[in-house]
Amino acid sequence: MEPTTDRLQTPRAAGMAGVAFALLLGAAIVLMRISVPAGDAADATIDPDRRWAVQLALQIVPFAGIFFLWFMGALRAHTGEAEDRFVATVFLGSGFVFVATLFAAAAAAGTVLNEETPSDFGRHYAYALLATYAMRMAAVFVLATSMIGRMLGVFPKPLAMLGTLVGLVLIVVGAGVPWSELLFPAWALVISLYILRVRRTAAPTDGSGPP
């Protein structure tokens, strides 16, 4: 009975961690966007009255990254030994690089924010890490996860197709289109809610629970 219980607990862990990640990253993106005017964020100036929003967003990012790692690990454990090693390698690599570049972009933005006269190089560096690297690694992660879900039958076909569409949009536009980066946390939220719903549906029919 123990393996079945673990099997049920893993999707729940993935779902809860995914919800936390989606809400935290979404909040950080919204805070950043309301602080930076539409257009080229690398060249935009931050309203002094809204610096608090940027500072709060930078405080949220590390927690979003931590929950993302839990989300990624729980998803991988759910696939078990049936996972395709090639796709799983892309899944892991893109996830780790996404977190690394997200943290690096937040650190660079924090350094620029603390400068009395922010340099153009620092602003462009922070924005390039987010738009060019972090969001495109997020796109690869979405595509790999959707492929794994489709190959193993973990996700229904419409959900896998949605992930493919989201991944393609992110890999093409990155964060260059204002608010487009919200697609990633929105996708993670949809996946997490689906996992939690499946878990609630499967739990009553499983005999491993408490009497």
Side-chain angles (χ1 to χ4, degrees), residues 2-20 67 70-80 153-155 188-203 206 208:
E2 187 65 26
T4 305
T5 303
D6 292 341
R7 185 70 173 178
L8 288 175
Q9 289 174 348
T10 296
R12 183 184 180 189
M16 296 302 295
V19 169
F67 278 110
W70 279 97
F71 176 55
M72 184 172 66
L75 280 176
R76 186 167 184 260
H78 181 54
T79 62
V154 177
F155 301 149
L189 182 61
V190 170
I191 291 293
S192 302
L193 293 177
Y194 170 77
I195 291 173
L196 290 174
R197 184 179 68 83
V198 169
R199 195 264 177 183
R200 285 197 301 268
T201 302
D206 187 85
S208 61

Side-chain angles (χ1 to χ4, degrees), residues 24 29 34 42-43 47 51 55 60 82 93 110 117 140 146 162 169 183 190 201-202 204 207:
L24 288 173
I29 291 172
I34 65 175
D43 295 321
D47 188 338
R51 289 172 67 91
Q55 293 172 338
I60 291 175
T117 55
V140 175
S146 300
L162 174 65
V169 171
L183 286 173
V190 170
T201 302

Side-chain angles (χ1 to χ4, degrees), residues 17-148:
V19 169
F21 159 72
L23 294 179
L24 288 173
L25 183 61
I29 291 172
V30 170
L31 288 169
M32 290 293 295
R33 281 298 177 187
I34 65 175
S35 305
V36 179
D40 190 351
D43 295 321
T45 57
I46 299 175
D47 188 338
D49 294 333
R50 294 183 176 177
R51 289 172 67 91
W52 66 267
V54 179
Q55 293 172 338
L56 180 58
L58 296 179
Q59 293 294 324
I60 291 175
V61 166
F63 296 99
I66 291 170
F67 278 110
F68 178 77
L69 290 175
W70 279 97
F71 176 55
M72 184 172 66
L75 280 176
R76 186 167 184 260
H78 181 54
T79 62
E81 298 179 357
E83 66 180 8
D84 180 89
R85 294 194 177 189
F86 174 77
V87 181
T89 301
V90 177
F91 170 87
L92 284 173
S94 60
F96 289 143
V97 174
F98 166 74
V99 173
T101 52
L102 182 66
F103 284 178
T111 301
V112 172
L113 189 65
N114 291 330
E115 294 178 354
E116 293 184 4
T117 55
S119 65
D120 290 338
F121 172 77
R123 293 164 61 182
H124 282 272
Y125 177 70
Y127 184 73
L129 281 175
L130 176 65
T132 305
Y133 298 100
M135 282 299 108
R136 287 185 169 91
M137 285 300 100
V140 175
F141 179 82
V142 173
L143 291 171
T145 304
S146 300
M147 185 177 297
I148 292 173

